[in-house]
Coordinates of all heavy atoms in Angstrom, one line a residue:
M1 N 62.0 106.5 105.8 CA 61.1 105.7 106.6 C 61.4 106.1 108.1 O 62.5 106.4 108.5 CB 61.4 104.2 106.5 CG 61.0 103.7 105.1 SD 60.3 102.0 105.2 CE 61.7 101.0 105.7
P2 N 60.3 106.1 108.9 CA 60.4 106.4 110.3 C 61.3 105.4 111.0 O 61.5 104.3 110.8 CB 59.1 106.3 110.8 CG 58.1 106.5 109.7 CD 59.0 106.0 108.5
K3 N 62.1 106.0 112.1 CA 62.9 105.0 112.9 C 62.2 105.0 114.4 O 61.9 106.1 114.9 CB 64.3 105.5 112.9 CG 65.0 105.5 111.6 CD 66.4 105.9 111.8 CE 67.3 105.9 110.6 NZ 66.8 106.8 109.6
I4 N 62.2 103.7 114.9 CA 61.7 103.6 116.3 C 63.0 103.2 116.9 O 63.7 102.2 116.6 CB 60.8 102.4 116.4 CG1 59.5 102.8 115.6 CG2 60.4 102.2 117.9 CD1 58.4 101.8 115.6
T5 N 63.4 104.0 118.0 CA 64.5 103.5 118.9 C 63.9 103.1 120.3 O 63.1 103.9 120.9 CB 65.5 104.6 119.1 OG1 66.0 104.9 117.8 CG2 66.6 104.2 120.0
L6 N 64.2 102.0 120.8 CA 63.8 101.5 122.2 C 64.8 101.9 123.2 O 66.0 101.3 122.9 CB 63.6 100.0 122.1 CG 62.4 99.6 121.1 CD1 62.3 98.2 121.2 CD2 61.1 100.2 121.4
A7 N 64.5 102.6 124.1 CA 65.4 102.9 125.3 C 65.8 101.6 126.1 O 67.0 101.4 126.5 CB 64.9 103.9 126.3
S8 N 65.0 100.6 126.0 CA 65.3 99.4 126.8 C 66.4 98.6 126.2 O 67.1 97.9 127.0 CB 64.0 98.5 126.8 OG 63.6 98.2 125.5
N9 N 66.6 98.6 124.9 CA 67.8 97.8 124.4 C 68.5 98.7 123.4 O 69.6 98.1 122.8 CB 67.3 96.6 123.6 CG 66.4 97.0 122.3 OD1 66.2 98.1 122.0 ND2 65.8 95.9 121.7
N10 N 68.3 99.9 123.4 CA 69.0 101.0 122.6 C 69.1 100.5 121.1 O 70.1 100.9 120.3 CB 70.4 101.1 123.3 CG 70.8 102.7 123.0 OD1 69.9 103.5 122.8 ND2 72.1 103.0 122.8
K11 N 68.1 99.8 120.6 CA 68.2 99.4 119.2 C 67.2 100.3 118.3 O 66.2 100.8 118.9 CB 67.6 98.0 119.0 CG 68.8 97.0 119.4 CD 68.4 95.5 119.1 CE 69.5 94.6 119.5 NZ 69.0 93.2 119.3
T12 N 67.6 100.5 117.2 CA 66.8 101.2 116.2 C 66.2 100.5 115.1 O 67.1 99.7 114.5 CB 67.6 102.5 115.7 OG1 68.0 103.2 116.9 CG2 66.7 103.4 114.8
Y13 N 65.1 100.7 114.8 CA 64.4 99.8 113.8 C 63.7 100.8 112.7 O 63.1 101.8 113.0 CB 63.3 98.9 114.2 CG 63.7 98.1 115.4 CD1 63.8 98.7 116.7 CD2 63.9 96.7 115.2 CE1 64.2 97.9 117.8 CE2 64.3 96.0 116.4 CZ 64.4 96.5 117.7 OH 64.8 95.7 118.7
E14 N 63.7 100.6 111.4 CA 63.0 101.4 110.4 C 61.7 100.7 110.3 O 61.6 99.5 110.0 CB 63.8 101.4 109.1 CG 65.0 102.4 109.2 CD 65.5 102.7 107.7 OE1 65.2 102.0 106.8 OE2 66.2 103.7 107.7
V15 N 60.7 101.5 110.1 CA 59.3 101.1 109.8 C 58.7 101.9 108.9 O 59.0 103.0 108.6 CB 58.5 101.0 111.2 CG1 59.0 100.0 112.2 CG2 58.2 102.4 111.7
P16 N 57.6 101.4 108.2 CA 56.8 102.2 107.3 C 56.0 103.2 108.0 O 55.7 103.0 109.1 CB 55.9 101.2 106.5 CG 56.6 99.8 106.8 CD 57.3 99.9 108.1
V17 N 55.7 104.4 107.4 CA 54.9 105.4 107.9 C 53.5 104.8 108.2 O 53.0 103.9 107.4 CB 54.8 106.6 106.9 CG1 53.6 107.6 107.4 CG2 56.0 107.3 106.8
G18 N 52.9 105.0 109.4 CA 51.6 104.6 109.7 C 51.7 103.1 110.3 O 50.7 102.6 110.7
T19 N 52.9 102.7 110.8 CA 52.9 101.5 111.5 C 52.5 101.5 112.8 O 52.7 102.5 113.7 CB 54.5 101.0 111.6 OG1 55.0 100.8 110.3 CG2 54.7 99.9 112.6
K20 N 51.6 100.5 113.2 CA 51.2 100.4 114.6 C 52.2 99.9 115.6 O 52.9 98.9 115.2 CB 49.9 99.4 114.9 CG 48.8 99.8 113.9 CD 48.0 101.0 114.4 CE 46.8 101.1 113.5 NZ 46.1 102.4 113.8
F21 N 52.5 100.7 116.6 CA 53.6 100.3 117.5 C 53.3 99.0 118.1 O 54.4 98.1 118.1 CB 53.8 101.3 118.7 CG 54.8 101.1 119.6 CD1 56.1 101.2 119.2 CD2 54.6 100.7 120.9 CE1 57.2 101.0 120.1 CE2 55.6 100.3 121.7 CZ 57.0 100.6 121.4
L22 N 52.2 98.5 118.4 CA 51.9 97.2 118.9 C 52.3 96.1 117.8 O 53.0 95.0 118.1 CB 50.4 97.0 119.2 CG 49.9 95.7 119.5 CD1 50.5 95.1 120.9 CD2 48.4 95.6 119.6
D23 N 52.0 96.3 116.6 CA 52.2 95.4 115.5 C 53.8 95.3 115.3 O 54.3 94.2 115.2 CB 51.7 95.8 114.1 CG 50.2 95.8 114.0 OD1 49.6 95.0 115.1 OD2 49.5 96.4 113.2
F24 N 54.5 96.5 115.5 CA 55.9 96.5 115.3 C 56.5 95.6 116.4 O 57.4 94.8 116.1 CB 56.4 97.9 115.3 CG 57.8 98.0 115.9 CD1 58.9 97.8 114.9 CD2 58.2 98.4 117.2 CE1 60.2 97.9 115.5 CE2 59.4 98.5 117.5 CZ 60.4 98.2 116.8
C25 N 56.0 95.9 117.6 CA 56.6 95.0 118.8 C 56.4 93.5 118.6 O 57.2 92.7 119.0 CB 56.0 95.6 120.2 SG 56.6 97.3 120.5
Q26 N 55.1 93.3 118.2 CA 54.9 91.9 118.1 C 55.7 91.2 117.0 O 56.2 90.0 117.0 CB 53.3 91.5 117.9 CG 52.5 91.9 119.1 CD 51.1 91.9 118.8 OE1 50.6 92.0 117.8 NE2 50.3 91.7 119.9
D27 N 55.8 91.9 115.9 CA 56.6 91.4 114.7 C 58.1 91.3 115.0 O 58.8 90.3 114.6 CB 56.4 92.3 113.5 CG 55.1 92.2 113.0 OD1 54.2 91.4 113.3 OD2 54.7 93.2 112.1
N28 N 58.7 92.1 115.8 CA 60.0 92.0 116.2 C 60.3 91.5 117.6 O 61.6 91.6 118.0 CB 60.6 93.5 116.0 CG 60.5 94.0 114.5 OD1 61.4 93.6 113.7 ND2 59.5 94.8 114.3
R29 N 59.4 91.0 118.2 CA 59.6 90.4 119.6 C 60.4 91.4 120.5 O 61.4 91.0 121.1 CB 60.3 89.1 119.5 CG 59.4 88.0 118.7 CD 60.2 86.8 118.6 NE 59.3 85.8 117.7 CZ 58.5 85.0 118.3 NH1 58.4 84.9 119.6 NH2 57.8 84.0 117.5
T30 N 60.0 92.7 120.6 CA 60.7 93.6 121.2 C 60.5 93.5 122.7 O 59.4 93.1 123.3 CB 60.4 95.1 120.7 OG1 59.0 95.2 121.0 CG2 60.8 95.2 119.4
P31 N 61.4 94.0 123.6 CA 61.2 94.1 125.1 C 60.3 95.1 125.5 O 60.6 96.1 126.1 CB 62.5 94.2 125.6 CG 63.3 95.0 124.5 CD 62.6 94.6 123.3
H32 N 58.9 95.1 125.1 CA 58.0 96.0 125.6 C 56.7 95.2 125.9 O 56.3 94.3 125.2 CB 57.7 97.0 124.3 CG 56.8 98.2 124.9 ND1 57.4 99.3 125.2 CD2 55.6 98.4 125.1 CE1 56.5 100.3 125.8 NE2 55.4 99.7 125.6
D33 N 56.2 95.6 127.2 CA 55.1 94.7 127.7 C 53.8 95.2 127.2 O 53.5 96.4 127.4 CB 55.2 94.8 129.3 CG 56.5 94.2 129.8 OD1 56.9 93.2 129.2 OD2 56.9 94.6 130.8
F34 N 52.9 94.3 127.0 CA 51.3 94.7 126.6 C 50.6 93.7 127.4 O 50.9 92.6 127.9 CB 51.2 94.4 125.2 CG 51.9 95.4 124.3 CD1 53.2 95.1 123.7 CD2 51.3 96.6 124.0 CE1 53.9 95.9 122.9 CE2 52.1 97.5 123.1 CZ 53.3 97.2 122.5
G35 N 49.3 94.2 127.6 CA 48.4 93.3 128.2 C 47.1 93.2 127.3 O 47.1 92.4 126.5
C36 N 46.2 94.1 127.6 CA 44.8 93.9 126.9 C 45.0 94.2 125.3 O 44.3 93.6 124.6 CB 43.9 95.0 127.4 SG 44.4 96.6 127.1
T37 N 45.9 95.0 125.0 CA 46.2 95.5 123.6 C 45.0 96.3 123.1 O 45.0 96.7 121.8 CB 46.5 94.3 122.6 OG1 45.3 93.6 122.4 CG2 47.5 93.5 123.1
V38 N 44.1 96.8 123.9 CA 42.9 97.6 123.3 C 42.8 98.9 124.0 O 41.8 99.6 124.0 CB 41.7 96.7 123.4 CG1 41.8 95.6 122.3 CG2 41.3 96.2 124.8
G39 N 44.0 99.3 124.9 CA 43.8 100.6 125.5 C 43.3 100.8 126.9 O 42.8 101.8 127.3
S40 N 43.0 99.6 127.4 CA 42.2 99.8 128.8 C 42.9 99.4 130.1 O 42.6 99.7 131.2 CB 40.9 98.9 128.7 OG 41.2 97.5 128.5
C41 N 44.1 98.7 129.9 CA 44.8 98.1 131.1 C 46.2 99.0 131.5 O 46.4 99.0 132.8 CB 45.4 96.7 131.0 SG 46.7 96.5 129.9
G42 N 46.6 99.6 130.7 CA 47.8 100.5 131.0 C 49.0 100.0 131.0 O 50.1 100.6 131.3
T43 N 49.1 98.6 130.9 CA 50.4 97.9 130.9 C 51.6 98.5 129.9 O 52.7 98.5 130.3 CB 50.3 96.4 130.6 OG1 49.2 95.9 131.5 CG2 51.6 95.5 130.7
C44 N 51.1 98.9 128.8 CA 52.0 99.3 127.8 C 52.4 100.8 127.9 O 53.1 101.2 126.9 CB 51.3 99.1 126.3 SG 49.9 100.1 126.2
R45 N 52.1 101.4 128.9 CA 52.4 102.9 129.0 C 53.9 103.1 128.7 O 54.8 102.4 129.1 CB 51.9 103.4 130.2 CG 52.6 102.9 131.5 CD 51.7 103.3 132.8 NE 52.3 102.7 133.9 CZ 51.9 101.5 134.6 NH1 51.1 100.7 133.8 NH2 52.5 101.0 135.7
L46 N 54.1 104.3 128.1 CA 55.4 104.7 127.8 C 55.6 106.2 127.7 O 54.5 106.9 127.8 CB 55.8 103.9 126.5 CG 54.8 104.3 125.2 CD1 55.1 105.7 124.5 CD2 55.0 103.2 124.2
V47 N 56.8 106.6 127.6 CA 57.1 108.0 127.2 C 57.8 108.2 126.0 O 58.7 107.2 125.7 CB 57.7 108.8 128.3 CG1 56.9 109.0 129.5 CG2 59.1 108.3 128.7
L48 N 57.5 109.1 125.1 CA 58.2 109.4 123.9 C 59.3 110.4 124.3 O 59.2 111.5 124.4 CB 57.3 109.9 122.9 CG 56.3 108.8 122.4 CD1 55.2 109.5 121.8 CD2 57.0 107.9 121.4
E49 N 60.6 109.8 124.3 CA 61.7 110.8 124.6 C 62.1 111.6 123.5 O 62.6 112.7 123.6 CB 63.0 109.9 125.0 CG 62.7 109.1 126.3 CD 63.9 108.2 126.7 OE1 64.7 108.0 125.9 OE2 64.0 108.1 127.9
V50 N 61.7 111.1 122.3 CA 61.9 111.9 121.0 C 60.6 111.6 120.1 O 60.1 110.5 120.2 CB 63.1 111.4 120.3 CG1 63.2 112.2 118.9 CG2 64.4 111.8 121.1
G51 N 60.1 112.6 119.5 CA 59.1 112.5 118.6 C 57.6 112.4 119.1 O 56.8 111.7 118.4
A52 N 57.3 113.0 120.1 CA 56.0 113.1 120.6 C 55.0 113.7 119.5 O 53.7 113.2 119.6 CB 55.8 113.9 121.9
D53 N 55.4 114.5 118.6 CA 54.7 115.0 117.6 C 54.8 114.2 116.3 O 54.2 114.6 115.2 CB 55.1 116.4 117.3 CG 56.6 116.5 116.9 OD1 57.2 115.6 117.1 OD2 56.9 117.5 116.1
K54 N 55.4 113.0 116.4 CA 55.4 112.1 115.2 C 54.5 110.9 115.4 O 54.7 109.9 114.6 CB 56.9 111.6 115.1 CG 57.9 112.7 115.0 CD 57.7 113.7 113.8 CE 58.8 114.5 113.6 NZ 58.5 115.7 112.6
V55 N 53.5 111.0 116.3 CA 52.5 109.8 116.5 C 51.2 110.4 116.4 O 51.0 111.6 116.3 CB 52.8 109.1 117.8 CG1 54.0 108.5 117.9 CG2 52.7 110.1 118.9
N56 N 50.2 109.5 116.3 CA 48.8 109.9 116.3 C 48.4 110.7 117.6 O 49.1 110.5 118.7 CB 47.9 108.8 116.2 CG 48.2 107.7 117.2 OD1 49.3 107.3 117.6 ND2 47.0 107.3 118.0
P57 N 47.4 111.7 117.6 CA 47.1 112.4 118.7 C 46.3 111.5 119.7 O 45.8 110.5 119.5 CB 46.1 113.4 118.1 CG 46.1 113.4 116.7 CD 46.7 112.0 116.3
L58 N 46.5 112.0 121.0 CA 45.9 111.3 122.2 C 44.3 111.4 122.0 O 43.8 112.5 121.7 CB 46.3 112.2 123.4 CG 46.0 111.6 124.8 CD1 46.7 110.3 125.0 CD2 46.5 112.7 125.8
T59 N 43.7 110.4 122.3 CA 42.2 110.4 122.2 C 41.8 110.5 123.7 O 42.5 110.2 124.7 CB 41.7 109.0 121.7 OG1 42.0 108.0 122.5 CG2 42.1 108.8 120.2
D60 N 40.4 110.8 123.9 CA 39.9 110.9 125.2 C 39.9 109.5 125.9 O 40.3 109.5 127.2 CB 38.4 111.2 125.1 CG 38.1 112.8 124.6 OD1 39.2 113.5 124.8 OD2 37.1 113.1 124.2
E61 N 39.7 108.4 125.2 CA 39.7 107.1 125.9 C 41.1 106.8 126.3 O 41.4 106.3 127.4 CB 39.4 106.1 124.8 CG 37.7 106.1 124.4 CD 37.5 107.1 123.4 OE1 38.5 107.7 122.8 OE2 36.3 107.4 123.2
E62 N 42.2 107.1 125.5 CA 43.6 106.8 125.9 C 43.8 107.7 127.2 O 44.5 107.2 128.1 CB 44.5 107.2 124.8 CG 46.0 106.9 125.1 CD 47.0 107.2 124.0 OE1 46.4 107.5 122.9 OE2 48.2 107.0 124.1
Q63 N 43.5 109.0 127.1 CA 43.7 109.9 128.3 C 43.1 109.4 129.5 O 43.7 109.4 130.6 CB 43.0 111.2 127.9 CG 43.3 112.3 129.1 CD 44.8 112.7 129.2 OE1 45.5 112.9 128.3 NE2 45.2 112.7 130.5
E64 N 41.8 108.7 129.4 CA 41.2 108.2 130.7 C 42.0 107.0 131.2 O 42.2 106.9 132.4 CB 39.7 107.7 130.3 CG 38.9 108.8 130.2 CD 37.4 108.3 129.9 OE1 37.1 107.1 130.1 OE2 36.6 109.0 129.2
T65 N 42.5 106.1 130.3 CA 43.3 105.0 130.9 C 44.7 105.5 131.5 O 45.0 105.0 132.6 CB 43.6 104.0 129.8 OG1 42.4 103.5 129.2 CG2 44.5 102.9 130.2
L66 N 45.3 106.5 130.9 CA 46.4 107.0 131.4 C 46.4 107.7 132.9 O 47.1 107.5 133.6 CB 47.2 108.0 130.4 CG 47.7 107.4 129.2 CD1 48.0 108.4 128.1 CD2 49.0 106.6 129.5
E67 N 45.1 108.3 132.9 CA 44.9 109.1 134.3 C 44.8 108.0 135.3 O 45.0 108.3 136.5 CB 43.7 109.9 134.0 CG 44.0 111.2 133.4 CD 42.7 112.0 133.1 OE1 41.6 111.5 133.5 OE2 42.9 113.1 132.4
M68 N 44.3 106.8 135.0 CA 44.1 105.8 136.1 C 45.4 104.9 136.4 O 45.6 104.3 137.4 CB 43.1 104.7 135.6 CG 41.7 105.3 135.5 SD 40.5 104.0 135.1 CE 40.9 103.6 133.5
C69 N 46.4 105.1 135.6 CA 47.7 104.2 135.8 C 49.0 104.9 135.7 O 50.0 104.3 136.2 CB 47.7 103.1 134.6 SG 48.1 103.7 132.9
T70 N 49.0 106.2 135.6 CA 50.3 106.9 135.7 C 50.2 108.4 135.8 O 49.1 109.0 135.5 CB 51.2 106.6 134.4 OG1 52.5 107.3 134.8 CG2 50.6 107.2 133.3
D71 N 51.1 109.1 136.5 CA 51.1 110.6 136.6 C 52.2 111.0 135.8 O 52.5 112.3 136.0 CB 51.0 111.1 138.0 CG 52.0 110.5 138.9 OD1 53.1 109.8 138.4 OD2 52.2 110.6 140.1
V72 N 52.9 110.3 135.1 CA 53.9 110.8 134.3 C 53.5 111.7 133.1 O 52.7 111.2 132.4 CB 54.8 109.6 133.7 CG1 55.9 110.1 132.8 CG2 55.3 108.7 134.8
A73 N 54.1 113.0 133.1 CA 53.6 113.8 132.0 C 53.9 113.3 130.6 O 55.0 112.9 130.5 CB 54.2 115.3 132.3
G74 N 53.0 113.4 129.7 CA 53.3 113.1 128.4 C 53.2 111.6 128.1 O 53.7 111.2 127.0
A75 N 52.8 110.8 129.0 CA 52.7 109.3 128.9 C 51.7 109.0 127.8 O 50.7 109.7 127.5 CB 52.2 108.7 130.1
R76 N 52.0 107.8 127.0 CA 51.1 107.3 126.0 C 51.0 105.8 126.2 O 51.7 105.3 127.0 CB 51.6 107.7 124.6 CG 51.8 109.1 124.3 CD 50.4 109.8 124.2 NE 49.6 109.2 123.2 CZ 49.4 109.6 121.9 NH1 50.1 110.6 121.4 NH2 48.6 108.9 121.0
L77 N 50.0 105.3 125.5 CA 49.7 103.8 125.5 C 50.3 103.2 124.2 O 50.0 103.6 123.1 CB 48.3 103.6 125.5 CG 47.5 103.9 126.9 CD1 46.1 103.6 126.7 CD2 48.2 103.4 128.2
G78 N 51.2 102.3 124.4 CA 51.9 101.7 123.3 C 50.9 101.0 122.3 O 51.1 101.0 121.1
C79 N 49.9 100.4 122.9 CA 49.0 99.7 122.0 C 48.1 100.7 121.2 O 47.4 100.1 120.2 CB 48.2 98.8 122.8 SG 47.0 99.5 123.9
Q80 N 48.2 102.0 121.4 CA 47.4 102.9 120.7 C 48.1 103.7 119.9 O 47.6 104.7 119.1 CB 46.4 103.7 121.7 CG 45.7 102.9 122.7 CD 44.7 102.1 121.9 OE1 43.9 102.7 121.2 NE2 44.6 100.8 122.0
L81 N 49.4 103.5 119.8 CA 50.3 104.5 119.0 C 50.5 104.1 117.5 O 50.6 102.9 117.3 CB 51.8 104.5 119.5 CG 52.0 105.3 120.7 CD1 53.6 105.3 121.0 CD2 51.6 106.7 120.6
T82 N 50.3 105.1 116.8 CA 50.7 104.9 115.2 C 52.0 105.8 115.0 O 52.0 107.0 115.3 CB 49.6 105.3 114.4 OG1 48.4 104.6 114.7 CG2 49.9 105.1 112.9
V83 N 53.0 105.2 114.3 CA 54.3 105.9 114.1 C 54.3 106.5 112.8 O 54.1 105.9 111.7 CB 55.3 104.8 114.3 CG1 56.7 105.5 114.2 CG2 55.3 104.1 115.6
N84 N 54.4 107.8 112.8 CA 54.6 108.6 111.6 C 55.8 109.2 111.4 O 56.0 109.9 110.3 CB 53.5 109.6 111.6 CG 52.0 109.0 111.7 OD1 51.8 108.1 110.9 ND2 51.2 109.5 112.6
G85 N 56.8 109.2 112.3 CA 58.1 109.8 112.1 C 59.1 109.2 113.1 O 58.7 108.1 113.9
D86 N 60.2 109.7 113.3 CA 61.3 109.1 114.2 C 60.9 109.2 115.6 O 60.5 110.4 115.9 CB 62.6 109.8 114.0 CG 63.2 109.6 112.6 OD1 62.6 108.7 111.9 OD2 64.3 110.0 112.3
I87 N 60.9 108.2 116.4 CA 60.6 108.3 117.8 C 61.6 107.5 118.6 O 62.2 106.6 118.1 CB 59.1 107.8 118.1 CG1 59.0 106.2 117.9 CG2 58.1 108.6 117.5 CD1 57.6 105.7 118.3
R88 N 61.7 107.9 120.0 CA 62.4 107.1 120.8 C 61.6 106.8 122.1 O 60.8 107.8 122.6 CB 63.7 107.8 121.4 CG 64.5 107.0 122.4 CD 65.8 107.8 122.8 NE 66.5 107.2 123.9 CZ 67.4 106.2 123.8 NH1 67.6 105.7 122.6 NH2 67.9 105.7 125.0
V89 N 61.5 105.6 122.4 CA 60.4 105.2 123.3 C 61.0 104.5 124.5 O 62.0 103.8 124.6 CB 59.6 104.0 122.7 CG1 58.6 103.3 123.7 CG2 58.8 104.6 121.5
R90 N 60.6 105.0 125.8 CA 60.9 104.3 127.0 C 59.7 103.9 127.8 O 58.7 104.7 128.1 CB 61.7 105.3 127.9 CG 62.2 104.7 129.2 CD 63.1 105.7 130.0 NE 62.5 107.1 130.1 CZ 61.8 107.6 131.1 NH1 61.4 106.6 132.0 NH2 61.3 108.6 131.1
Q91 N 59.6 102.5 128.1 CA 58.4 102.0 128.9 C 58.5 102.5 130.4 O 59.6 102.6 130.8 CB 58.4 100.5 128.8 CG 57.1 100.0 129.5 CD 56.7 98.7 128.9 OE1 57.4 97.9 128.3 NE2 55.6 98.2 129.1
I92 N 57.5 102.9 130.8 CA 57.4 103.4 132.3 C 56.6 102.4 133.3 O 55.8 101.7 132.8 CB 56.7 104.7 132.4 CG1 55.4 104.9 131.7 CG2 57.7 105.8 131.7 CD1 54.8 106.2 131.8
D93 N 57.0 102.4 134.4 CA 56.5 101.5 135.4 C 55.1 102.0 135.9 O 54.9 103.2 135.9 CB 57.4 101.5 136.6 CG 58.9 100.8 136.3 OD1 58.9 100.0 135.3 OD2 59.9 101.1 136.9
Ligands
FES101 S1 48.1 96.7 126.5 FE1 46.4 97.5 127.6 S2 46.4 99.5 127.5 FE2 47.9 98.9 126.1

């Protein structure tokens, strides 16, 4: 099973393949901030310190939101992520 590690609390959780990162965070009450939950506000932006190739590909809509809210290379939206392998996540300001 894939493992999600959160840089914010340095905890690791096992999840089934195909888990939505948003669902995982809500189910586990993790320290990761969300707003709209539909990919438009950018509150949930993060970087994958490990496993950028272990999540679903970036869509044009996600890219548009990211361009409006961060200039961090490789940033993703937590509410749009599907976890398919081991990842380490750090939320960005
Ligand atoms: S919570 Fe708004 S873009 Fe993810």
Side-chain angles (χ1 to χ4, degrees):
M1 295 218 296
K3 293 184 178 70
I4 298 174
T5 301
L6 300 177
S8 58
N9 63 7
N10 211 31
K11 287 188 177 174
T12 299
Y13 308 78
E14 280 196 346
V15 298
V17 172
T19 293
K20 302 287 188 194
F21 183 70
L22 173 64
D23 293 341
F24 157 76
C25 288
Q26 291 177 335
D27 290 348
N28 291 281
R29 299 175 182 267
T30 59
H32 194 93
D33 297 329
F34 293 92
C36 67
T37 72
V38 293
S40 59
C41 73
T43 303
C44 62
R45 60 193 179 272
L46 55 80
V47 290
L48 292 156
E49 295 180 335
V50 173
D53 60 338
K54 304 297 185 193
V55 296
N56 56 308
L58 188 66
T59 64
D60 290 345
E61 292 79 12
E62 185 179 355
Q63 180 69 45
E64 281 180 25
T65 298
L66 286 165
E67 286 173 359
M68 289 187 293
C69 66
T70 186
D71 56 4
V72 174
R76 297 294 305 264
L77 296 175
C79 69
Q80 301 300 300
L81 278 190
T82 301
V83 182
N84 297 315
D86 294 357
I87 60 172
R88 179 179 171 87
V89 169
R90 179 171 52 84
Q91 187 153 19
I92 52 179
D93 297 329

